Every structure is written in C-alpha cells, then in structure tokens.
Amino acid sequence: LEPDVVVRRQEALAAARLRMQEELNAQAERYKEKQRQLEEEKRRQKIAMWESMQEGKSYKGNLKLNQQEVESGASTSSAVPKSKPNKKPLRGGGYNPLSGEGGGTCSWRPGRR
C-alpha cells in the first residue's frame, strides 16, 4: 500500500466526519430554536388564558380560538380536507347481546350437573 494514498484517504475521512458533525450541529441548533419558539407560544397562551380568566371571560373558548389561529397559520399547505365516507354500523340494528336474538350461531347454555 502506498503511504500517500493512505494519508489522503484518512484526510478525506476526517474532512467528511467534520462536515457531517457541522451539519448535525446546525440541525441541533434549528431544533433548539424551534423548541424555544414553541415554549414562547405556550407561555403567551397561558398568559392570555390567565388574563381572560381574571376578566371573568371563558378562557377555554379563547384557548380554542388561539389554537385554531396557530393551526391555520402553521398549516399553509394546499391540503384539501378529506370528507369521511358514510360508515355503516358494524352490526344490524336488531342486535342485542342480552336477548340472545340476532347473535348468530353462538349461544351459551349451562353445562349438565
């Protein structure tokens, strides 16, 4: 093995590791910033809830409105809301497990004495 090739390979490996570490550090910094923003938003909501409660207003209604504003601001993608298809009931309307009717072939009978 050529010593020059080994040295170049080790230098390239070290450079790649350094590059990957810098990328990881940048991702961690972005994540920390996002967490700080979320904590700040939660703190603002708590303050708004406390103030509305002090004024005698319904703070739960305000909290829902604030959450809807945050969600509408956060989800700016062009997602179309999906409509749920009409689901049929799992069993027929006449099913009653206590009456024993409509249960199918399974029926419990006490054993012999």
Side-chain angles (χ1 to χ4, degrees):
L1 294 175
E2 300 276 335
D4 295 336
V5 174
V6 172
V7 169
R8 275 188 267 141
R9 187 177 295 161
Q10 288 178 347
E11 288 174 353
L13 188 62
R17 284 181 180 157
L18 182 64
R19 206 169 40 243
M20 290 171 70
Q21 186 64 43
E22 289 173 354
E23 184 178 328
L24 184 66
N25 291 342
Q27 286 177 355
E29 191 63 36
R30 286 193 300 265
Y31 179 77
K32 285 181 184 178
E33 183 62 31
K34 190 175 180 182
Q35 292 300 317
R36 280 190 216 117
Q37 289 175 356
L38 288 174
E39 289 296 323
E40 181 66 23
E41 183 61 33
K42 284 183 184 180
R43 189 182 68 80
R44 285 187 197 138
Q45 284 183 356
K46 279 189 175 183
I47 291 172
M49 185 175 67
W50 175 255
E51 288 174 354
S52 66
M53 192 172 67
Q54 291 295 323
E55 294 172 4
K57 296 180 182 177
S58 171
Y59 61 91
K60 291 183 180 177
N62 291 340
L63 184 62
K64 290 179 184 176
L65 290 174
N66 289 340
Q67 287 178 350
Q68 288 176 353
E69 291 173 1
V70 169
E71 289 173 2
S72 65
S75 61
T76 56
S77 63
S78 60
V80 178
K82 297 179 181 178
S83 61
K84 294 184 178 180
N86 294 336
K87 294 183 179 179
K88 64 177 185 174
L90 295 176
R91 296 185 181 94
Y95 175 74
N96 185 358
L98 300 177
S99 68
E101 297 174 1
T105 59
C106 298
S107 61
W108 179 83
R109 292 186 183 177
R112 293 185 179 178
R113 290 186 182 217

